[in-house]
Each structure stands twice: as structure tokens, then as C-alpha cells.
Amino acid sequence: MSGWLSALATALDPLCGPVGIFTLLAGDGLVSCGASGWGDEIAFGVKVTVTLAIATLPIGLLLGFLIALAAQSEDKLLRAAVGIYTTIFRGLPELLTLFIVYYGLQLLIQSILGWMGIEQRIEINAFLAGMIALAVVFSSYASEVLLSAFRAIPRGQYEAGDALGLHRSRTMMLVILPQLIRIALPGLGNLWMILLKDTAYVSIIGLSDIVRQTSVAARVSKEAFFFYFLACLLYLALAIISSFGLSFIERWSRRGEVRR
């Protein structure tokens, strides 16, 4: 089954598949697929970038949603904690956050193991570190978007759910969340675009994304302008595809609105 899935993925590869862009247009050039060009390496970098962004999104959204809920809590300590969290990760540059997670988490785990009497060197996976770092940054911004969306929903919506005998969790799922998605979607769409671009930071810690793969190709081939320009085109293509996807989701979220 895994061999069949691998063959299907190769056939559907938009860059180096049988009808991929590099396969059809590159010929024997710098980005041709195979041993003669850098097409395979760059196609792999695109997959890593997209996979990292998609893996980070649900974690960042969930954290942002929980932080937005906590920010509305009656517990002052909880509100203060989430306020400190969002202030720190919105204030720190994303690159520093990545370094703190990548190197700091390793030191933390090694310190815990040392305290337990276990002497072992720990190295955090670059993909995991990038996902955690981008997720905490994304969640700090997403929480503000979601908090604003929560405040835009009239309090009477909650009271209506209570009047119908719905539990607060049911009211949240059936009444509040559909409205929350519709209100917060434009802001979250902008954050998704930022997340796509922020994945470029993971090249610093050795993850083979678009930027790292094109940088290696630029150094080896001495064609820096060509490969960095290609990286720009790839990010723009991902942004355009995302724009179409976000437009579709926005139309879907508004399908229940009454036309005026």
C-alpha cells in the first residue's frame, strides 16, 4: 500500500511529476528533475514548507482559541498569564523564538535528565522545533483575532442558548463557533499568509525548506539571482493558491447569510 501511495504522490507532484512544471519546462536546465538539475531538491523543499505550515496551523489555532477563552476568564491570574504569553511571543522576533525553542528545549530536557541521573545528549528534531516555535507565535496573534471575534458576538447569543436549555459547550459548538469562524476568518487568513512566509526561518536550523534548498543550489551553481528569484516565485504561487482557498472558505462560511 505504501508503495502505491508513493507512486501516486510522485505522479501528482506538480513540480517533478510526469506533467510537473520542472519536468515540462526545465529540460536539461538548472531546475530539471534528476541528476542533472536541482528540481528534485527544490520540489522536496516545497513539500517541507507546505507540510510545516499545514502541521503548524491546527496547533496554533487550538492554542489561540484556548488563550482567547482564558483571556475572558473571571480568574485574574489566568488573564494575567495569557497576557504575559501573548506579549512575549508577539514582542520577540520569530527568529529568536525559534532559537529559544530549538536550543532552549534541548538544554531543558538535558537538565531534567541530568537531575534524574541520566547523562545523555539530546537533539531536538528541526521540524518539531520549527513547528513548536511557529505555533506559539501564530497562537499569540490568533488569540487576539479570536478574542476580538468573541467580543463581536452579542451576549444575547449565549443567553438564547441558555433559554433553549443548551449546555454552554453545546451553545459554543452550535451557536458561537459558526459565527466566530465567519468573523475571524479575514484576520486568520492574513495570519496564514504570514505563517507561510515565516516557515523560511527554519532554514537557519537546517531544515530543508524552499529557502535552504535554493540557497544550496545558488552556492553550488553560482546562480544566486536565478534560484532566489525562483524561491520568490514559489512563495508567490503558494500565496495565490492560498488566496483562492481562503476565498472559497469565506464563501462557504457565509452561505447561511440572508441576501439583502
Side-chain angles (χ1 to χ4, degrees):
M1 179 62 72
S2 60
W4 179 81
L5 290 175
S6 177
L8 180 62
T10 301
L12 297 177
D13 187 341
L15 296 178
C16 281
V19 291
I21 296 173
F22 291 165
T23 303
L24 297 177
L25 300 181
D28 295 325
L30 290 172
V31 291
S32 62
C33 301
S36 60
W38 294 91
D40 293 315
E41 289 79 4
I42 295 173
F44 179 76
V46 173
K47 293 175 184 176
V48 170
T49 294
V50 173
T51 302
L52 178 61
I54 292 175
T56 301
L57 181 64
I59 299 173
L61 282 175
L62 178 60
L63 284 175
F65 180 74
L66 295 176
I67 292 168
L69 287 178
Q72 303 174 82
S73 171
E74 297 179 357
D75 189 332
K76 293 182 179 180
L77 289 178
L78 186 57
R79 292 202 307 270
V82 298
I84 292 171
Y85 175 93
T86 55
T87 300
I88 290 175
F89 290 113
R90 284 192 297 159
L92 287 178
E94 286 85 346
L95 187 58
L96 285 180
T97 302
L98 179 61
F99 285 157
I100 289 171
V101 171
Y102 184 60
Y103 297 109
L105 199 57
Q106 295 182 44
L107 292 175
L108 177 62
I109 295 174
Q110 286 181 188
S111 298
I112 294 174
L113 291 177
W115 178 76
M116 297 172 62
I118 302 174
E119 296 296 332
Q120 183 175 355
R121 180 173 176 80
I122 300 297
E123 185 171 349
I124 300 298
N125 179 272
F127 186 93
L128 178 62
M131 187 171 65
I132 294 172
L134 293 175
V136 296
V137 173
F138 183 91
S139 67
S140 65
Y141 287 99
S143 64
E144 295 298 317
V145 173
L146 292 170
L147 183 58
S148 297
F150 269 120
R151 290 171 176 168
I153 298 173
R155 192 68 187 173
Q157 300 286 328
Y158 296 91
E159 296 171 355
D162 293 339
L164 292 171
L166 295 176
H167 190 272
R168 274 302 170 95
S169 60
R170 295 280 292 173
T171 301
M172 178 64 69
M173 290 296 296
L174 300 177
V175 180
I176 304 301
L177 275 182
Q179 299 178 72
L180 188 74
I181 293 172
R182 177 174 54 81
I183 296 170
L185 191 58
L188 294 177
N190 289 335
L191 292 180
W192 164 255
M193 293 295 194
I194 294 172
L195 174 62
L196 268 179
K197 294 185 294 182
D198 283 351
T199 56
Y201 289 118
V202 298
S203 62
I204 303 296
I205 58 174
L207 197 61
S208 300
D209 70 322
I210 293 174
V211 173
R212 183 168 181 83
Q213 297 294 68
T214 52
S215 296
V216 172
R219 286 197 300 270
V220 174
S221 66
K222 309 300 181 183
E223 294 286 349
F225 179 81
F226 173 81
F227 281 106
Y228 287 129
F229 181 70
L230 177 61
C232 292
L233 291 179
L234 291 172
Y235 277 108
L236 285 174
L238 292 177
I240 292 170
I241 294 170
S242 297
S243 295
F244 283 116
L246 290 169
S247 297
F248 173 79
I249 295 173
E250 186 172 0
R251 289 195 303 270
W252 174 82
S253 69
R254 297 181 182 275
R255 70 195 186 284
E257 291 184 355
V258 178
R259 294 186 179 181
R260 296 182 183 275

